[in-house]
Amino acid sequence: MRSHVLFIDSDSTMHLSVCQYLTDAGFELVSTVSSLEDGIDVIKFNAPALVLLALTRPIIDDSTRLAGISALLVDEHIPLIMIVDTEEAERIQQCYELGATDVVIKPINWQILVHRLHYILKTHQALNRLAISELRLSNAQRLAKLGNWEWTIKDGHLYWSHEVYDIYQYHEHAIR
């Protein structure tokens, strides 16, 4: 599987390692940049399949810019893997709160990282295919004026698709 990866790190020696390991593993590197601002430009104009972001200073210093890049990645449906230099639980929690798909701790075990990246890309592609399939089903049901519902007897839960609400002209929150 060849995929484009964007690597963001202020340490230029890491750029060489990332290029070597990931291209050997079948990834195609879009770009290696040294700042969040440059990374945002690359994402806007050449959307990568995933972003690797190395953090070298406290997250609090970059939290506004990190929130900005995270929002852009969510909009573009791009996984974000943050690389940190500590196992401190609070810092790792902050990474996930800022939108990280996964967190990698330095020193990097390149073989494991490659497997994780392949897994993240496969999962991300499957989720995208599922979202497209759900959208197509919803559109087909809307056009055909059909809907679907499920009733779980065990807990009495009733689920109606959006189309059923439209067919019976109920507001979704009116019946629950």
Side-chain angles (χ1 to χ4, degrees):
M1 165 195 318
R2 293 196 57 84
S3 298
H4 296 263
V5 175
L6 169 61
F7 178 66
I8 305 170
D9 191 356
S10 58
D11 180 2
S12 59
T13 58
M14 280 295 290
H15 292 221
L16 297 173
S17 296
V18 167
C19 287
Q20 176 189 348
Y21 285 106
L22 296 186
T23 52
D24 288 351
F27 289 93
E28 186 177 312
L29 243 25
V30 168
S31 190
T32 57
V33 295
S34 57
S35 72
L36 286 173
E37 291 78 15
D38 291 341
I40 289 171
D41 289 341
V42 171
I43 294 164
K44 285 181 179 176
F45 299 109
N46 192 7
L50 66 86
V51 173
L52 278 171
L53 172 61
L55 300 173
T56 54
R57 55 186 177 199
I59 291 174
I60 209 85
D61 295 347
D62 283 328
S63 62
T64 303
R65 291 186 299 164
L66 286 171
I69 197 170
S70 180
L72 177 61
L73 295 173
V74 167
D75 289 345
E76 298 293 328
H77 305 288
I78 300 170
L80 170 63
I81 295 81
M82 291 188 183
I83 301 170
V84 295
D85 54 3
T86 180
E87 292 184 11
E88 185 181 315
E90 183 180 330
R91 180 124 186 238
I92 292 170
Q93 178 65 32
Q94 287 176 326
C95 290
Y96 285 116
E97 288 171 0
L98 286 167
T101 305
D102 196 5
V103 177
V104 175
I105 300 166
K106 288 181 180 179
I108 298 172
N109 181 323
W110 292 102
Q111 291 177 331
I112 292 174
L113 177 63
V114 165
H115 290 293
R116 288 167 81 171
L117 296 181
H118 281 298
Y119 176 77
I120 288 169
L121 282 175
K122 285 179 187 176
T123 303
H124 182 70
Q125 290 167 351
L127 288 172
N128 283 341
R129 286 192 304 271
L130 176 61
I132 290 168
S133 178
E134 287 177 343
L135 181 62
R136 287 178 179 154
L137 174 62
S138 179
N139 285 335
Q141 288 180 332
R142 182 182 48 78
L143 291 170
K145 297 193 185 299
L146 295 173
N148 64 297
W149 59 273
E150 294 176 21
W151 179 30
T152 308
I153 296 173
K154 182 178 178 182
D155 62 8
H157 178 74
L158 180 63
Y159 164 80
W160 286 5
S161 68
H162 299 292
E163 294 77 18
V164 172
Y165 287 102
D166 291 342
I167 291 167
Y168 291 107
Q169 298 178 348
Y170 286 122
H171 189 277
E172 283 190 49
H173 301 291
I175 301 175
R176 284 287 166 179

